[in-house]
């Protein structure tokens, strides 16, 4: 345990993952917000932009050119894709740990990265040592990581929803795994766009990214790592009128051995020591509001007896376990803190 | 074409399908509302309960015991399951046509009906001659039907979403067909229940009925009729915070012949003369609001090249094409009217 | 009655009032959409942008530079403030009638216009002959008008909510009239802005424009015309998470004569022949959804016995009676059509 | 400061104020949940009803007949009106402190209580010593109270919104004070009722209780205490489609002295040491989401120069500062704890 508080920097604090980091870190017992940058809002007190932080966060935004991030113990990037990789080298050289909430360090295959993000990768050597930050899968690597690629929101639900089965080789991979995923609108970020206006997105629902969503290659790569083999994966994300909340309904065919397995017991055992993964009792129907504002991911299993399929339903708050909460969880592990520090909240229901 | 207006009766007009029938019939050029019954609200002007109808509907609710439904040309049942079958015999004997918006005449197999609805079937002989009322599949039978079992909301999306493929035998039935379906909250009806309160259902999402939903046997029976063989079907409905709107994302594996077929052209041809089925251009992502208040069902196809699957996305207004609108469409056909009479509206967007 | 259909042009059809005009005019029995312009979307079929119009509107957007609006019988401007006044002169000269849904012809005092809209007025002579288009107040003038300034959404609720009292001199004007008004988010238009994103405006409520809203001078000028004297008016608009819908709660002190008046009877008499103003029975609590998609404005009166105040509650759909519906109503009157033509719908409830 | 944790009982924990108490107390550093009663749900683990509490609350509901509340240090009543007054005597006799979140101890005038709540008051002697629990107004009395009448949600906004003016005699009471108040739907409680179903209350807005709301006499009595004289008060509550959140827009006429006062400075000074009352900078427009889940009440002042009125806008979370949070704040004071204990959270935005 550190005797002094960890000094935290945030690059790009004006989006939803940024303000969510601020919400969580403002009350973190072992961390102190040291600097937060924004090109557009330099000089503005953070709490003027987000009055929910009044009295909790006294910082003002700093111009990135003026911010001395090398003084920090850790820097979070809550920025568009491509920013973290342009600054990681210098920070790593200065001994600063980096947690990127964008995609720069999620895909080990730089060709895949470049195909989906239309950017050459700026620091493949750092990428090679970066850790994909799902603690429930890679806790030991996170502990010693210098750079974390914090996972996408959808991938966290699918990977934690399938890990116990894939780790044990209980899936029939002759048919595709299908994830029908649904996300609240905050997942689209705090950008002024017509498609996510209230009058467009409220009382409305649609699929999107069916022809190809950036989280598909990320999930596929990780699923294949878990399975130890190649597999087929169909992913259809949907936009639903929630502010926060994500639900993935995952359809997977069990292998012959999988059909003989007590999958409920398997999942309960796999996650019994995980403070943030909650395997619900048999027959449960997880609701997104049961994790609103909390870092939990809740799971339920439903077998489809006629077809040998298992349906896994996973819910999380896309801004917490799907983004900022998982990032803080990673920070806690990297610095040897209590993994639940700053994340010990109760979801807001109703 | 009738020279006089059709006299319409509605049994049970206080729920959402009831008020939706009233909305559509109030302006129908060839129908006149003749009687509407409600045990609990007898004597109350309909427009006092639903002020949206002020100036459009002058009727008051009549006590069912006092209503002479045999004077009507057609009676709609917007009632709980079991009511229509207790009154159908007498109405049919009196020459009145019956359109039931509940489940009494949807399932030809009475054993299946009794298993799912926990009721013995009261008139199997009438059931045997009843027609399952999806005009796009059974228009000729509807034309001469005395009794219509108006389909459930979910089945309409799945059946119209798959009919062109199944009719042509283009599906690989060695794997299950999967429908991940999402419904607005009005689908649960206008009953006082905690689970559908605003403070429970808003900003929240969940799956439900995973262990078995009454629309599963209905869809399965119809899919098997279309395919001409038995098949496996996985159905997971979800509740999403929309008032109206339903979206089904259907995952189906194409057969070898299906993979060689231009499915877009197939669907466009199959539905080219259907005024209420709209096959969207390739790449489209249907939104529920594009059918809000209208009788259209809009479809889009997305192939999943690696796995040979096709994803069909279908949207409708669950209260219109999924219930009252389809019922009026059936009425129009039964009485030789213009099929679009009273349904010629533009959806409300935004 | 015209024997041929009226040829309609719309300038700026990509916003919410534009698509609402399209929705209403698509089914208007006596009007035909002739041209619709958009600088940014020239060439795009209208139904590609708004799929709710598929099968109902076949037009594509035309570049304004290429559009021959002088062929139209009437042109609607669903544009930002300032556009209509730059084109009105030429259209009027060509004998085309103009209905502006923006503010160019709402304020007779050009100094007030220039103060609030930061634009010099481009055609004061046309303004001098323009009519403020609330038919219930100015029907005769509308009938012969060449140019209509279609009222703002808020003003329609306040003016129709107070006209019977002010016309009869029943208000104690020694204290201010207060309107606490609430609007759905579509009132802010279809512009990409952070403040009206779903994730900002949903599950949230705020007042805005308290220091001065452009509808204040518009309402004040009209109230003073109705009262025949100057008066004080406090106006606080609020943004609430509705797509459509507007509710004004108006607090007015009755004069001694007002206190002796049967205000319910007064309102019922005043509006008895008005198809679009609905005075609800005593004790009613109007809901915005009872006018969703319809051109009705519904009113209820509540006396506050201890203080001599009357509370008037008025609801409308801000896009219909508050904008496009009222514009069509004005068109109907200007061309001698049935005032309800194309507006004879039933609001969408639920 | 107590050396041991306070033992807390909750009577009636199945409603929204109950689950909100659980959310706050689950993480309270100085309190421990000892017993929670429910007649209907006895034996059910609390976290089975509210899965948001899984892992945080291990209690099950106890049958009231079996619960030994006299072992508690404090008992919260989150029950319908009338329950607390039937049990208060015995608890007080046993030395247990009582905090009632219903109305039993809010109105000192039992005749007024009986008029509005249709119940005879069961323990007027205890009522006489009960304290109206707004700490910012009555902190000293709260400190030594045995029984607290926790205020209604609306009254908290109006009273804290007006206290600085009334305490200083800066209001012109010759005209009524008007509060136009808006509440989220959770304020109606977790009761199965048609009017608060999602499909009724979503995308809809209405006024209610205009003819008389139970919070009117409560507010009026407290306003008159603050003013030291009788006054007129008009109160119109509205239901808006928020889960949580309350906004009151208060219209008050300043006296001659009030007009000369720097009201912004007055409010800032009055509340400078109040951790839960936040006077926003001049020109601010408070949003309900800035207090979502937090115990803050945020205020802004807007002068209406022409009329001499001041508009006060106050927002709070109706379930926190408007109910459970204020109750915990009162508990903290009564037991000499840090007033912010357990309430030191950051509101959830977005």
């Amino acid at each position: 345990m550190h005797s002094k508080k960890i000094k935290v920097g945030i690059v790009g604090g004006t989006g939803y993952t940024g303000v969510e980091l601020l919400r969580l870190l403002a009350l973190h017992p072992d961390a102190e917000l040291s600097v937060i940058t924004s090109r557009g809002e330099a000089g503005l007190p953070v709490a003027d932009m987000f009055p929910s932080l009044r009295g909790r966060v006294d910082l003002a935004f700093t111009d990135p050119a003026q911010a001395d991030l090398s003084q920090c113990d850790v820097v979070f990037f809550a920025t568009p894709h491509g920013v973290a990789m342009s600054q990681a080298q210098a920070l790593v050289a200065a001994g600063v740990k980096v947690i990127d909430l964008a995609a720069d360090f999620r895909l080990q295959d730089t060709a895949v990265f470049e195909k989906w993000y239309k950017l050459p990768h700026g620091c493949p050597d750092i990428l090679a040592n970066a850790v994909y930050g799902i603690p429930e899968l890679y806790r030991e690597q996170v502990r010693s990581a210098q750079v974390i690629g914090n996972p996408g929101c959808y991938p966290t639900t699918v990977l934690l929803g399938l890990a116990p089965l894939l780790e044990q080789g209980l899936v029939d991979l002759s048919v595709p795994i299908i994830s029908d995923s649904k996300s609240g609108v905050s997942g689209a970020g705090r950008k002024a766009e017509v498609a996510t206006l209230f009058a467009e997105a409220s009382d409305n629902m649609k699929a999107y990214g069916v022809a190809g969503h950036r989280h598909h290659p990320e999930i596929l790569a990780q699923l294949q790592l878990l399975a130890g083999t190649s597999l087929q994966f169909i992913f259809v994300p949907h936009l639903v009128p929630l502010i926060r909340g994500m639900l993935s309904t995952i359809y997977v065919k069990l292998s012959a051995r999988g059909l003989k397995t007590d999958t409920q017991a398997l999942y309960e055992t796999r996650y019994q020591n995980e403070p943030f993964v909650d395997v619900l009792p048999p027959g449960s129907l997880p609701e997104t509001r049961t994790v609103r504002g909390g870092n939990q991911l809740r799971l339920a299993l439903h077998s489809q007896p006629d077809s040998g399929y298992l349906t896994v339903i996973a819910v999380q708050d896309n801004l917490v376990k799907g983004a900022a909460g998982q990032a803080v969880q990673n920070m806690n592990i990297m610095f040897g803190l209590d993994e639940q520090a700053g994340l010990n909240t109760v979801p807001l229901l109703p």
Side-chain angles (χ1 to χ4, degrees), chain A residues 174-313:
Chain A
S174 71
V175 297
I177 293 171
I178 297 173
S179 182
D180 187 291
S181 296
K182 299 92 178 170
S183 176
V185 185
S186 65
R190 194 168 166 275
K191 293 183 298 287
E193 291 184 341
V194 169
T196 48
L197 290 178
F198 180 89
E200 303 279 314
S202 180
D203 207 45
N204 187 35
M205 179 173 43
K206 65 176 173 185
Y208 71 102
V210 185
H213 186 284
R214 288 167 168 181
H215 287 178
H216 185 280
E218 180 182 337
I219 298 171
L220 180 61
Q222 291 291 329
L223 287 177
Q224 294 185 153
L225 275 177
L226 288 168
T229 180
S230 69
L231 53 79
Q232 291 181 325
F233 175 59
I234 295 175
F235 175 54
V236 179
H238 298 75
L239 191 70
V240 293
L242 313 173
I243 298 179
R244 295 159 176 255
M246 176 167 283
L247 184 151
S248 287
T249 312
I250 309 168
Y251 302 89
V252 61
K253 188 170 188 205
L254 296 177
S255 66
R257 203 155 55 81
L259 287 169
K260 292 188 205 126
T261 302
D262 179 344
T263 50
Q264 179 74 25
L266 172 74
Y267 274 69
E268 290 181 0
T269 303
R270 174 63 178 82
Y271 291 128
Q272 64 189 340
N273 295 320
E274 291 297 344
F276 295 119
V277 180
D278 179 18
V279 180
L280 294 168
S284 295
L285 296 165
E287 304 189 28
T288 56
R289 64 184 185 142
T290 67
V291 295
R292 187 190 288 132
N295 197 47
Q296 296 86 352
L297 178 144
R298 301 196 206 272
L299 281 172
L301 309 179
H302 292 265
S303 62
Q304 302 282 353
D306 296 336
S307 58
Y309 270 65
L310 185 75
T311 305
V312 181
I313 304 173

Side-chain angles (χ1 to χ4, degrees), chain A residues 11 25 103 107 109 115 117 124 171 189 254 263-264 338-339 344-345:
Chain A
V11 179
L25 292 169
L107 292 164
D109 186 330
K115 173 182 169 194
Y117 292 92
V171 178
L254 296 177
T263 50
Q264 179 74 25
D338 174 2
E339 191 168 330
N344 185 30
T345 60

Side-chain angles (χ1 to χ4, degrees), chain A residues 100-123:
Chain A
D100 178 30
L101 284 83
D104 298 10
F105 300 106
R106 291 177 187 165
L107 292 164
Q108 282 298 330
D109 186 330
T110 54
V112 173
F113 176 84
E114 292 173 10
K115 173 182 169 194
W116 286 91
Y117 292 92
K118 314 293 177 201
L119 292 170
H121 202 287
C123 49

